[in-house]
Amino acid sequence: MSSPNPIHRMTLFKVPSPSDQEAILHQYMTFKNTATKDGKPYILTCDAGKAIDDPRSQGWDIAVKTTFGSEEDMAYYDHECEAHKELKAVAGPRKTDVMTVYFESVFDGVGEKL
């Protein structure tokens, strides 16, 4: 059974070349406006940027946080979304590594924050 809470997804890329980083981030900017499901935007939020130079970044160059309304929307993104396929075509040959995790926030559906 699917959760009623949004799904937050974090994706990190290792992309050594600054020009390749720019190409991927440009594609994210395009993708944010073209990712649709049934002719409508379905991604709740998408934030992407270069990681700030810090030892804690551990070599990850680009960080992306995407929020979906449901696991079904994330599955659509992974398997059917044309905009995501175009993004993967740009990022795939430019990245040396990628890591993705997703989660439900402890704050979703809760009226208080830390």
Side-chain angles (χ1 to χ4, degrees):
M1 181 172 177
S2 181
S3 168
N5 293 326
I7 302 299
H8 303 276
R9 176 174 167 144
M10 301 294 302
T11 304
L12 301 175
F13 294 93
K14 289 186 179 179
V15 183
S17 163
S19 63
D20 286 345
Q21 292 171 18
E22 290 300 326
I24 292 169
L25 291 171
H26 177 75
Q27 190 64 34
Y28 264 104
M29 290 171 62
T30 301
F31 146 92
K32 187 172 180 179
N33 297 316
T34 60
T36 59
K37 179 180 174 184
D38 301 324
K40 299 176 194 162
Y42 71 100
I43 296 173
L44 301 180
T45 64
C46 180
D47 295 296
K50 290 184 184 181
I52 294 171
D53 188 21
D54 183 280
R56 294 172 287 188
S57 297
Q58 297 184 21
W60 298 103
D61 300 297
I62 295 175
V64 182
K65 180 180 181 277
T66 312
T67 304
F68 301 92
S70 66
E71 288 184 64
E72 290 81 10
D73 283 350
M74 188 175 71
Y76 175 84
Y77 175 79
D78 281 333
H79 304 293
E80 299 179 54
C81 180
E82 290 302 318
H84 187 219
K85 289 176 185 176
E86 293 171 13
L87 174 64
K88 290 191 290 188
V90 170
R94 290 174 167 89
K95 67 174 176 51
T96 59
D97 201 1
V98 65
M99 178 184 64
T100 301
V101 296
Y102 60 96
F103 61 96
E104 291 181 35
S105 174
V106 297
F107 297 108
D108 289 339
V110 176
E112 60 186 63
K113 298 187 180 199
L114 291 179

